PDB file of all heavy atoms in Angstrom:
ATOM      1  N   ASP H  73      -9.027   9.487 -24.714  1.00 98.00           N
ATOM      2  CA  ASP H  73      -7.697  10.069 -25.087  1.00 98.00           C
ATOM      3  C   ASP H  73      -7.702  11.571 -24.953  1.00 98.00           C
ATOM      4  O   ASP H  73      -6.766  12.167 -24.422  1.00 98.00           O
ATOM      5  CB  ASP H  73      -7.277   9.658 -26.513  1.00 98.00           C
ATOM      6  CG  ASP H  73      -6.933   8.172 -26.620  1.00 98.00           C
ATOM      7  OD1 ASP H  73      -6.728   7.509 -25.623  1.00 98.00           O
ATOM      8  OD2 ASP H  73      -6.893   7.707 -27.804  1.00 98.00           O
ATOM      9  N   ARG H  74      -8.787  12.241 -25.443  1.00 98.00           N
ATOM     10  CA  ARG H  74      -8.893  13.699 -25.287  1.00 98.00           C
ATOM     11  C   ARG H  74      -9.016  14.104 -23.810  1.00 98.00           C
ATOM     12  O   ARG H  74      -8.410  15.090 -23.406  1.00 98.00           O
ATOM     13  CB  ARG H  74     -10.107  14.215 -26.093  1.00 98.00           C
ATOM     14  CG  ARG H  74      -9.848  14.271 -27.580  1.00 98.00           C
ATOM     15  CD  ARG H  74     -10.982  14.955 -28.359  1.00 98.00           C
ATOM     16  NE  ARG H  74     -12.203  14.158 -28.336  1.00 98.00           N
ATOM     17  CZ  ARG H  74     -13.338  14.546 -27.790  1.00 98.00           C
ATOM     18  NH1 ARG H  74     -13.483  15.712 -27.239  1.00 98.00           N
ATOM     19  NH2 ARG H  74     -14.409  13.752 -27.787  1.00 98.00           N
ATOM     20  N   PHE H  75      -9.749  13.359 -23.033  1.00 98.00           N
ATOM     21  CA  PHE H  75      -9.912  13.617 -21.589  1.00 98.00           C
ATOM     22  C   PHE H  75      -8.562  13.525 -20.897  1.00 98.00           C
ATOM     23  O   PHE H  75      -8.178  14.403 -20.135  1.00 98.00           O
ATOM     24  CB  PHE H  75     -10.933  12.596 -21.040  1.00 98.00           C
ATOM     25  CG  PHE H  75     -11.290  12.855 -19.567  1.00 98.00           C
ATOM     26  CD1 PHE H  75     -11.693  14.070 -19.110  1.00 98.00           C
ATOM     27  CD2 PHE H  75     -11.354  11.749 -18.706  1.00 98.00           C
ATOM     28  CE1 PHE H  75     -12.058  14.248 -17.786  1.00 98.00           C
ATOM     29  CE2 PHE H  75     -11.722  11.925 -17.375  1.00 98.00           C
ATOM     30  CZ  PHE H  75     -12.057  13.177 -16.912  1.00 98.00           C
ATOM     31  N   ARG H  76      -7.840  12.426 -21.188  1.00 98.00           N
ATOM     32  CA  ARG H  76      -6.512  12.200 -20.607  1.00 98.00           C
ATOM     33  C   ARG H  76      -5.588  13.389 -20.930  1.00 98.00           C
ATOM     34  O   ARG H  76      -4.920  13.917 -20.065  1.00 98.00           O
ATOM     35  CB  ARG H  76      -5.942  10.892 -21.102  1.00 98.00           C
ATOM     36  CG  ARG H  76      -4.569  10.592 -20.559  1.00 98.00           C
ATOM     37  CD  ARG H  76      -4.056   9.257 -21.108  1.00 98.00           C
ATOM     38  NE  ARG H  76      -2.823   8.925 -20.503  1.00 98.00           N
ATOM     39  CZ  ARG H  76      -1.648   8.978 -21.130  1.00 98.00           C
ATOM     40  NH1 ARG H  76      -1.582   9.302 -22.400  1.00 98.00           N
ATOM     41  NH2 ARG H  76      -0.540   8.684 -20.484  1.00 98.00           N
ATOM     42  N   GLU H  77      -5.587  13.761 -22.217  1.00 98.00           N
ATOM     43  CA  GLU H  77      -4.709  14.830 -22.658  1.00 98.00           C
ATOM     44  C   GLU H  77      -5.077  16.162 -22.039  1.00 98.00           C
ATOM     45  O   GLU H  77      -4.218  16.913 -21.589  1.00 98.00           O
ATOM     46  CB  GLU H  77      -4.758  14.923 -24.164  1.00 98.00           C
ATOM     47  CG  GLU H  77      -3.739  15.895 -24.728  1.00 98.00           C
ATOM     48  CD  GLU H  77      -3.782  15.921 -26.282  1.00 98.00           C
ATOM     49  OE1 GLU H  77      -3.864  14.840 -26.889  1.00 98.00           O
ATOM     50  OE2 GLU H  77      -3.727  17.039 -26.816  1.00 98.00           O
ATOM     51  N   SER H  78      -6.381  16.437 -21.932  1.00 97.00           N
ATOM     52  CA  SER H  78      -6.850  17.739 -21.366  1.00 97.00           C
ATOM     53  C   SER H  78      -6.425  17.878 -19.920  1.00 97.00           C
ATOM     54  O   SER H  78      -6.231  19.008 -19.443  1.00 97.00           O
ATOM     55  CB  SER H  78      -8.361  17.837 -21.498  1.00 97.00           C
ATOM     56  OG  SER H  78      -9.046  17.039 -20.564  1.00 97.00           O
ATOM     57  N   LEU H  79      -6.311  16.789 -19.175  1.00 97.00           N
ATOM     58  CA  LEU H  79      -5.933  16.820 -17.773  1.00 97.00           C
ATOM     59  C   LEU H  79      -4.452  16.536 -17.541  1.00 97.00           C
ATOM     60  O   LEU H  79      -4.003  16.619 -16.396  1.00 97.00           O
ATOM     61  CB  LEU H  79      -6.797  15.837 -16.969  1.00 97.00           C
ATOM     62  CG  LEU H  79      -8.265  16.097 -16.937  1.00 97.00           C
ATOM     63  CD1 LEU H  79      -9.002  14.983 -16.192  1.00 97.00           C
ATOM     64  CD2 LEU H  79      -8.599  17.463 -16.312  1.00 97.00           C
ATOM     65  N   GLY H  80      -3.758  16.117 -18.582  1.00 97.00           N
ATOM     66  CA  GLY H  80      -2.339  15.765 -18.447  1.00 97.00           C
ATOM     67  C   GLY H  80      -2.141  14.570 -17.539  1.00 97.00           C
ATOM     68  O   GLY H  80      -1.201  14.530 -16.733  1.00 97.00           O
ATOM     69  N   LEU H  81      -3.031  13.571 -17.626  1.00 98.00           N
ATOM     70  CA  LEU H  81      -2.982  12.402 -16.746  1.00 98.00           C
ATOM     71  C   LEU H  81      -1.770  11.523 -17.080  1.00 98.00           C
ATOM     72  O   LEU H  81      -1.514  11.251 -18.258  1.00 98.00           O
ATOM     73  CB  LEU H  81      -4.274  11.597 -16.838  1.00 98.00           C
ATOM     74  CG  LEU H  81      -5.574  12.327 -16.496  1.00 98.00           C
ATOM     75  CD1 LEU H  81      -6.747  11.464 -16.736  1.00 98.00           C
ATOM     76  CD2 LEU H  81      -5.518  12.822 -15.032  1.00 98.00           C
ATOM     77  N   PRO H  82      -1.080  11.036 -16.056  1.00 98.00           N
ATOM     78  CA  PRO H  82       0.098  10.176 -16.284  1.00 98.00           C
ATOM     79  C   PRO H  82      -0.213   8.668 -16.409  1.00 98.00           C
ATOM     80  O   PRO H  82       0.664   7.850 -16.428  1.00 98.00           O
ATOM     81  CB  PRO H  82       0.934  10.433 -15.036  1.00 98.00           C
ATOM     82  CG  PRO H  82      -0.086  10.680 -13.944  1.00 98.00           C
ATOM     83  CD  PRO H  82      -1.230  11.401 -14.647  1.00 98.00           C
ATOM     84  N   PHE H  83      -1.481   8.361 -16.527  1.00 97.00           N
ATOM     85  CA  PHE H  83      -1.912   6.942 -16.628  1.00 97.00           C
ATOM     86  C   PHE H  83      -2.891   6.789 -17.790  1.00 97.00           C
ATOM     87  O   PHE H  83      -3.405   7.751 -18.325  1.00 97.00           O
ATOM     88  CB  PHE H  83      -2.543   6.456 -15.296  1.00 97.00           C
ATOM     89  CG  PHE H  83      -3.582   7.357 -14.742  1.00 97.00           C
ATOM     90  CD1 PHE H  83      -4.897   7.318 -15.199  1.00 97.00           C
ATOM     91  CD2 PHE H  83      -3.255   8.269 -13.770  1.00 97.00           C
ATOM     92  CE1 PHE H  83      -5.860   8.154 -14.695  1.00 97.00           C
ATOM     93  CE2 PHE H  83      -4.208   9.110 -13.234  1.00 97.00           C
ATOM     94  CZ  PHE H  83      -5.543   9.071 -13.695  1.00 97.00           C
ATOM     95  N   ARG H  84      -3.136   5.554 -18.148  1.00 96.00           N
ATOM     96  CA  ARG H  84      -3.991   5.235 -19.295  1.00 96.00           C
ATOM     97  C   ARG H  84      -5.479   5.313 -18.904  1.00 96.00           C
ATOM     98  O   ARG H  84      -5.862   4.969 -17.804  1.00 96.00           O
ATOM     99  CB  ARG H  84      -3.743   3.797 -19.778  1.00 96.00           C
ATOM    100  CG  ARG H  84      -2.414   3.602 -20.418  1.00 96.00           C
ATOM    101  CD  ARG H  84      -2.258   2.115 -20.690  1.00 96.00           C
ATOM    102  NE  ARG H  84      -1.578   1.535 -19.580  1.00 96.00           N
ATOM    103  CZ  ARG H  84      -0.587   0.668 -19.688  1.00 96.00           C
ATOM    104  NH1 ARG H  84      -0.210   0.246 -20.853  1.00 96.00           N
ATOM    105  NH2 ARG H  84       0.013   0.171 -18.626  1.00 96.00           N
ATOM    106  N   LEU H  85      -6.266   5.691 -19.885  1.00 97.00           N
ATOM    107  CA  LEU H  85      -7.704   5.603 -19.810  1.00 97.00           C
ATOM    108  C   LEU H  85      -8.157   4.734 -20.989  1.00 97.00           C
ATOM    109  O   LEU H  85      -7.719   4.888 -22.093  1.00 97.00           O
ATOM    110  CB  LEU H  85      -8.362   6.988 -19.939  1.00 97.00           C
ATOM    111  CG  LEU H  85      -8.035   8.003 -18.815  1.00 97.00           C
ATOM    112  CD1 LEU H  85      -8.766   9.318 -19.134  1.00 97.00           C
ATOM    113  CD2 LEU H  85      -8.439   7.471 -17.471  1.00 97.00           C
ATOM    114  N   LEU H  86      -9.051   3.796 -20.689  1.00 97.00           N
ATOM    115  CA  LEU H  86      -9.573   2.945 -21.720  1.00 97.00           C
ATOM    116  C   LEU H  86     -11.049   3.211 -21.997  1.00 97.00           C
ATOM    117  O   LEU H  86     -11.824   3.403 -21.069  1.00 97.00           O
ATOM    118  CB  LEU H  86      -9.470   1.466 -21.258  1.00 97.00           C
ATOM    119  CG  LEU H  86      -8.065   0.910 -21.025  1.00 97.00           C
ATOM    120  CD1 LEU H  86      -8.154  -0.527 -20.547  1.00 97.00           C
ATOM    121  CD2 LEU H  86      -7.221   1.037 -22.229  1.00 97.00           C
ATOM    122  N   GLY H  87     -11.376   3.231 -23.275  1.00 97.00           N
ATOM    123  CA  GLY H  87     -12.764   3.349 -23.680  1.00 97.00           C
ATOM    124  C   GLY H  87     -13.363   1.973 -23.811  1.00 97.00           C
ATOM    125  O   GLY H  87     -12.736   1.075 -24.381  1.00 97.00           O
TER     126      GLY H  87
END
Side-chain angles (χ1 to χ4, degrees):
D73 289 344
R74 284 187 292 117
F75 186 48
R76 179 180 185 251
E77 188 177 317
S78 75
L79 297 176
L81 300 176
F83 49 83
R84 291 175 267 224
L85 297 180
L86 298 179

